[in-house]
Amino acid sequence: MTPEPPVLSRRDSLRSADFEAGVALLVDKPAGITSFGVVARIRRWTRIRKVGHAGTLDPSATGLMIVLTGKATRSQASFMGMDKEYLSGVLLGVETDTWDLDGQVVSRTMNLDITREQVSEILRTRFGGEIEQFPPIFSALKVGGVPAYRLARKGKAVDLKPRRVKVYSLELE
């Protein structure tokens, strides 16, 4: 079993970090950059060749990205297996051709006849507990080594398999 690497945050001194021996960096990924882009920047900044991450975020997604350096890249599986927490915003009544805010609006419904209670019930029954999650074709998941969103935006067929996930808690705020 690989020992857990030290986890560095912005409060830690990066000057004394041994990036070759391996560290885990907690990076707040901004929108507009790919996970690979974040890794490439850290690779240049640390001058370490062996840099990876524990989970891809879509280019438009923001949030915590765990970047591993040096020997800490061996711990990737343990980080990937950890529980995760997501915060999402949903715009009801608007559909885009990419199912996200990056796409072109293809339909808009102005008068939604749905209550907060109905939305809560849908979230609880369709997305709570153990579910089969079908990733959108406009996701960063790789298909033959290429992000699915690249293939989908070129109009190519993308076949992503469902994944079994467990949703421990779901709140409508």
Side-chain angles (χ1 to χ4, degrees):
M1 185 157 172
T2 307
E4 292 296 322
V7 177
L8 301 181
S9 67
R10 77 176 80 197
R11 290 188 181 92
D12 297 306
S13 172
L14 298 178
R15 291 174 204 190
S16 62
D18 186 348
F19 293 106
E20 266 317 324
V23 298
L25 298 168
L26 306 180
V27 177
D28 186 5
K29 186 190 99 52
I33 184 172
T34 64
S35 296
F36 180 80
V38 171
V39 166
R41 286 182 183 184
I42 291 174
R43 198 175 275 138
R44 282 190 305 271
W45 173 67
T46 60
R47 295 188 174 100
I48 299 296
R49 203 181 87 236
K50 200 168 185 182
V51 178
H53 59 83
T56 301
L57 291 174
D58 292 352
S60 61
T62 63
L64 178 68
M65 194 172 139
I66 302 171
V67 179
L68 306 165
T69 70
K71 293 179 181 172
T73 57
R74 297 177 190 160
S75 300
Q76 180 193 33
S78 66
F79 282 103
M80 294 284 290
M82 292 178 169
D83 293 343
K84 295 153 185 79
E85 182 175 316
Y86 298 91
L87 178 64
S88 177
V90 178
L91 181 59
L92 298 176
V94 175
E95 180 183 354
T96 68
D97 58 355
T98 58
W99 308 344
D100 60 21
L101 293 176
D102 292 335
Q104 298 295 315
V105 174
V106 294
S107 74
R108 190 181 304 264
T109 305
M110 299 309 277
N111 296 321
L112 287 177
D113 188 22
I114 190 166
T115 66
R116 180 180 181 83
E117 290 74 27
Q118 290 170 318
V119 172
S120 276
E121 181 66 12
I122 290 168
L123 289 175
R124 187 184 63 72
T125 58
R126 293 198 48 206
F127 300 103
E130 283 199 39
I131 62 169
E132 289 284 311
Q133 182 185 57
F134 285 86
I137 59 172
F138 296 96
S139 73
L141 290 174
K142 299 276 193 331
V143 177
V146 178
Y149 66 84
R150 283 203 185 133
L151 298 171
R153 285 193 169 96
K154 290 180 181 176
K156 296 186 178 180
V158 179
D159 183 31
L160 296 174
K161 305 293 183 225
R163 296 173 169 202
R164 192 125 192 95
V165 298
K166 185 168 186 176
V167 178
Y168 295 98
S169 173
L170 188 63
E171 292 177 39
L172 177 61
E173 294 183 353

